[in-house]
């Protein structure tokens, strides 16, 4: 069945598979110390405008979050996140498993507000008993967020300013960064992210790779023995080449951005289809994840024809659902979706 | 300076000190296996109406919470608590240090509501991706709460019912249980607590002991090798007698309840004094912790004459403060407090 | 430079790459719930003779060890391992990071002895204070071991017997299992392993896959919510297909065993070359890892011509080194190695 | 029954109980911030000859070890200990529960040798793959050791020298320090310990206190927010006075050393009694713990008359047992012991 359930339903872009084949019998050093990892890291730093940066390749998003957060925090610190942040809501307690608390702030369509952050920090240090509490040690944001929304450059700048004032690293989860960068409604570039964040990751898994996320420390100040901690948390790959080669290809001739654009263009077309058929959007997302508010019966009927994701139940009679496009979504797939939706509409009449 | 800063400013009730002296040179087995621990455990079970119960003695409240929660939860589970619960707010991340998430629910003057709990659980299991989330594994409530408030028997019964429906233990933090039991506005007895909770602790530190909390498993179903886990978390005392003797005395001739009553009677008298002088209460507490809402300048002036606790700053010009009575508060201390307050009032005029 | 440094220098067997390409645009469910994972699991169970078995696919060896051990142990338990076991020596403390102790036993060329195990367990339970110690909760062995050695079927049976007597799971780390199964000096089959072990993993990374290890619970008794714990430890792959497709191919037409055989045949040929040139073996290994004892100067000279691994320094003048073959080692590579070694020999004269 | 089972069978020295009574109704700040804690800390620093030192009071030994080690180590580091060190053998995995490995070295009657330590460290850094291993992060020694033995000043100096060379803290567990300092066969003073160690603790529980250990950082370089971490690990006492008052008294008029001397003098007298009756010593201990090697039947007979500790079973027919004296052991108790032993001897004839 045709699926818009998520952006990781297919394998990898064919250029990546080709590159894996071409390099297959080359004997390479393990553990990410091969020349493809090195080359990919350099290309990423160049693209991000941070020549002094350090880049490490990890396998998946939850792993990356747990390793970056677990490595940067001091024992008595926690990570601040919007309450809907992936680290707070959908990682099976991976952060807490490393011994750290996630400190939740209110969310606005998945985003954290700078003034909530500042109030939280001010109140924390005002509290005379704050040494009995979890110290805020870093800030986690996702971009795009779990709701597909994006921070503006100004919003990023404000959050960054507060982090610097309180000497806390700002960490950006870019699981879907490619789609964020190519959104028609963003003024944030990869260079902005490298300027405002202390560490971030460029998601591969959801933007054309088989697996892999590239962790970037733009200032080259990764924690000492970072890879030892990666191994300690089970994230080190013997064949680091698998990640290096993929990212080397993704950052050759702008493939990464091309794939992002494909996800955005198909999302925009999908939005039009939904709009034409008077579907109600659950929220306004400028990226590849689109959320609809359906009556439960409508959701049931639709589910028989096309795959999508359950999102949440805002009330007893409605279901919010997610349709995601990706680098692999084609015009043909959208045409089929349009046909399915129109047929349902007609059947209803 | 006269202090109402908390309920642990003094040492122990003199009967306890006397008992420690009388038994001092008796040679006893270590690690809580002495006959005083045994006797204290029996008396507690009898008082609670749970003859099959198991009782373990631990040193302090945060330790007790971390050990009980860390021992009962499965790895992939977290503990549900009101957002203001001590385990969520004031234990420096002790629960997360054991690898577990605290799952916060809304609070109403420190209390959790049964319907919030039920909604949370229903939504969790409704969510198709809940296996990617932290499973709710137990419920934590405090009684009295951090705001001095109390659950009614009916409220306890409802929360207990939901826990049993979802097969999760209900754990009650009774750091100040003596004051809760002796409140003039409660219908909850120790036997009720033993009936509704799967595990709870009777706080000694704040109700007349030098240190010590008695953990009760009313059904006698403590986790296997509980004391090994206590040792693993650093909570085992070589001289377990220190705890056993204290609790044996506290549960002889109702000393524990007498001490609770002393805290309540002095709190009621203190409330009258504040009321007579038109102080504004921040919230209505039926136990030994009383909260006032002061203008900042007023708080500053008062602080020079008597010790109390900063609670929180609800807005830019006001401070909420806490005055606590205890088993050690005397009529004389309250008279002095009255004098101080009246003098300030007069100075103001 | 020609390398025998390890068995993960190349990519994947070409049949695997081909299969990844062929299936690339097929839309599949994520998180290991696709039909390739299912098919691969069934083939593995069939090959192992355990139709009721459960199979889970993880990314790498250290991750697999930490997840399996962390999921099976109770909080107060540790894992018994030979002192040279990978979990004890070379995983950067990944097991301890999950909160568990590795309990080391003596090793004999990497192997644990059944009587050492039995003595350890007997003494543990004899000790009157054993509840103050770490309980032995499971046994970890590697096969082949870190020294390339193998357990005989009788040895496995004995260790298994002790584990069952003490009701502890036996876990076998099969990172290089393919080479162990194809050794000319083994009487242990995959079915034996499934019979004697409670859980084991079939290593893909070192036997022809890009990455991936297949965890098998032959009796189908994996811990409840195992995949939630996998996610909690950062081991869940969004595109689980990457692992499923690879293992499905490895277990089609005996590819896994063929790749193992290639590693063994080239190892045997390599041994002959070394023997012909009077190299001294550091120990006798029947699998794909071969260990030589070199004078330091000799090691230095050799290192300029061919890549191998430093193993250890048994004394001030000697170095033990490892040469590994693999599924990717060719006759041509061995000829080159022979030439290099002969040239060095001649230069010396 | 008369007991020499351990050195924590009685309560506290009477001077301590008296002081607790005298100060009982004084209102004091909680959490170790009262003036008794301050005064005790100053006296300890003065006695140790480290005026810049910092002193923190914790409740028990295992807790202290887990907190000090857990607070000083970086995530990827472990603690080096003799294999018989309390942290390795008898703390139910408390160190591993904090996520850190104990790195065991050989023991010689409970002691670590400087050259073993140096070899270990040299080999670790020589190993090309050491970034895949647990980094040695600190050294733990106990003094007296678990076998009652003592380091000489020269031995301490050597171990200290290696630690400084490798920039690792040296931590000394002084659970029974009072007996070590008063041994007739030691040249190590408290000032020596403060000079050679980066952190150590002065044991109160086994030397006259109800509970309590004083952690000393002689150079005043305790980790930032140490007390927050103490709370996080459940070690913070609301009534910190309980520890402060006890240590203040122990360090008034040399009470601590007097109590140590009482333990040593009674141990020496006990040794004479055993020698006179031709008992065989299991090892030679210069402190308050004495170890005998008994035939199993002999041990059984003795156990009916007097309490002692099982130590270990060196072979099938013998049992090693421990008799401990303490600050509370009296001449009368030793006379009774002599009578019991002589009676057994006579019965045997």
């Amino acid at each position: 069945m045709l699926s818009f359930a998520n952006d990781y339903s297919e394998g990898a872009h064919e250029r990546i598979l080709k590159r894996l084949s071409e390099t297959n019998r080359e004997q390479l050093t393990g553990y990410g110390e091969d020349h493809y990892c090195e080359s990919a890291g350099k290309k990423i730093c160049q693209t991000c405008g941070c020549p002094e940066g350090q880049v490490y390749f990890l396998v998946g998003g939850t792993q990356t979050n747990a390793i970056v957060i677990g490595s940067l925090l001091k024992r008595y610190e926690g990570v601040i996140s919007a309450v809907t942040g992936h680290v707070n809501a959908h990682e099976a307690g991976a952060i807490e498993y490393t011994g750290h608390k996630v400190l939740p702030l209110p969310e606005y369509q998945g985003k954290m507000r700078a003034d909530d952050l500042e109030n939280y920090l001010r109140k924390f240090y005002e509290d005379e008993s704050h040494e009995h509490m979890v110290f805020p040690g870093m800030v986690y944001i996702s971009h795009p967020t779990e709701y597909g929304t994006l921070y503006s450059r100004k919003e990023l700048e404000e959050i960054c300013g507060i982090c610097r004032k309180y000497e806390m690293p700002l960490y950006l989860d870019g699981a879907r960064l490619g789609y964020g960068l190519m959104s028609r409604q963003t003024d944030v570039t990869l260079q902005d992210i490298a300027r405002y964040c202390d560490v971030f990751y460029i998601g591969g898994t959801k933007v054309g790779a088989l697996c892999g996320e590239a962790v970037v420390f733009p200032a080259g100040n990764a924690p000492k023995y970072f890879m030892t901690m990666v191994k300690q948390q089970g994230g080190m790959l013997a064949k680091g080449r698998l990640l290096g080669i993929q990212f080397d290809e993704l950052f050759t001739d702008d493939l990464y951005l091309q794939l992002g654009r494909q996800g955005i263009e198909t999302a925009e077309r999908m939005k039009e289809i939904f709009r034409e058929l008077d579907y109600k959007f659950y929220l306004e997302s400028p990226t590849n994840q689109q959320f609809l508010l359906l009556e439960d019966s409508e959701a049931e009927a639709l589910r028989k024809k096309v795959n999508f994701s359950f999102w949440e139940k805002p009330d007893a009679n409605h279901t919010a659902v997610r349709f995601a496009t990706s680098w692999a979504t084609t015009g043909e797939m959208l045409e089929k979706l349009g046909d399915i939706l129109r047929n349902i509409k007609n059947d209803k009449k």
Side-chain angles (χ1 to χ4, degrees), chain A:
Chain A
M1 187 159 55
L2 181 66
S3 176
F4 294 87
N6 57 54
D7 35 20
Y8 43 86
S9 292
E10 286 88 358
H13 189 266
E14 283 70 13
R15 269 179 54 190
I16 286 178
L17 293 185
K18 185 159 168 278
R19 194 78 182 283
L20 286 173
S21 285
E22 288 166 358
T23 59
N24 190 46
R25 289 280 172 158
E26 200 179 329
Q27 289 194 311
L28 296 175
T29 309
Y31 306 116
E33 296 177 358
D34 61 275
H35 68 91
Y36 291 105
C37 285
E38 198 190 341
S39 162
K42 277 188 187 157
K43 287 176 185 172
I44 287 171
C45 285
Q46 198 174 0
T47 311
C48 295
C50 58
E52 308 298 315
Q54 287 165 308
V55 180
Y56 297 93
F57 300 103
L58 297 176
V59 176
T62 294
Q63 181 182 90
T64 300
N65 287 335
I67 289 174
V68 169
I69 291 169
S71 302
L72 282 177
L73 289 181
K74 296 192 188 73
R75 255 194 55 176
Y76 48 83
E77 294 176 340
V79 56
I80 296 175
S81 162
V83 70
T84 46
H86 207 255
V87 293
N88 192 48
H90 270 272
E91 301 192 346
I95 303 306
E96 290 80 6
Y97 195 68
T98 73
H100 296 285
K101 191 178 188 72
V102 181
L103 301 162
L105 290 188
E107 60 89 25
Y108 307 88
Q109 299 203 333
K111 289 161 66 179
M112 173 191 299
R113 281 201 187 147
D115 52 352
D116 283 339
L117 175 60
E118 181 136 45
N119 281 338
Y120 179 87
L121 292 165
R122 191 181 38 70
K123 282 200 171 188
F124 177 84
Y125 287 103
E126 248 173 44
D127 190 327
E128 294 176 7
S129 67
H130 72 262
E131 294 195 9
H132 291 219
M133 295 159 72
V134 176
F135 280 71
M138 66 191 288
V139 171
Y140 165 94
I141 55 175
S142 39
H143 180 87
T145 67
E146 295 69 17
Y147 285 86
T149 52
L150 291 170
Y151 289 88
S152 68
R153 192 191 296 160
K154 185 160 169 296
E155 288 169 335
L156 267 191
E157 194 182 8
E158 284 171 2
I159 291 175
C160 167
I162 296 164
C163 288
R164 297 211 171 143
K165 179 173 158 194
Y166 282 92
E167 297 183 348
M168 290 188 314
L170 173 58
Y171 169 46
L172 182 146
D173 176 335
R176 296 184 166 94
L177 192 53
Y179 305 120
L181 294 171
M182 289 295 103
S183 168
R184 295 177 184 173
Q185 286 142 273
T186 189
D187 60 352
V188 173
T189 65
L190 204 41
Q191 293 88 332
D192 291 330
I193 288 171
R195 190 160 44 241
Y196 294 130
C197 298
D198 298 280
V199 52
F200 62 98
Y201 84 83
I202 301 172
T205 302
K206 286 164 181 154
V207 193
L210 284 169
C211 62
E213 326 294 331
V215 178
V216 186
F217 292 88
N221 58 355
K224 206 174 167 187
Y225 299 123
F226 185 70
M227 286 311 287
T228 302
M229 294 185 278
V230 167
K231 186 168 184 87
Q232 191 184 31
Q233 286 185 251
M236 194 187 267
L237 220 51
K239 293 182 180 167
R241 69 193 295 148
L242 171 59
L243 305 174
I245 292 166
Q246 292 188 89
F247 272 95
D248 197 53
E249 191 62 25
L250 283 170
F251 281 82
T252 297
D253 298 338
D254 283 340
L255 178 59
Y256 189 73
L257 296 182
Q258 282 173 41
L259 298 179
R261 191 178 304 120
Q262 178 71 5
I264 289 302
E265 287 181 356
T266 49
E268 291 295 335
R269 174 67 196 121
M270 186 172 70
K271 275 159 92 165
E272 280 169 33
I273 295 171
F274 284 125
R275 268 197 218 102
E276 285 160 17
L277 293 163
D278 289 327
Y279 276 91
K280 193 172 171 187
F281 286 86
Y282 186 53
L283 56 87
E284 174 59 32
S285 154
T287 59
N288 72 314
Q289 300 183 83
Q290 296 299 324
F291 301 86
L292 302 176
L293 185 67
L294 305 177
E295 286 180 28
D296 289 352
S297 58
E298 201 178 9
E300 278 312 296
L302 196 51
R303 195 182 276 267
K304 286 170 193 156
K305 307 287 185 185
V306 59
N307 238 323
F308 52 86
S309 287
F310 168 88
W311 198 250
E312 54 199 22
K313 274 199 69 49
D315 63 51
N317 306 316
H318 292 84
T319 304
V321 304
R322 184 188 70 177
F323 279 75
T325 62
S326 79
W327 62 275
T329 306
T330 60
E332 202 189 340
M333 288 158 77
L334 291 170
E335 278 177 38
K336 276 191 202 163
L337 175 65
D339 291 347
I340 290 167
L341 296 173
R342 271 184 297 271
N343 285 339
I344 288 179
K345 216 75 186 183
N346 292 334
D347 287 357
K348 234 177 149 179
K349 286 177 195 169

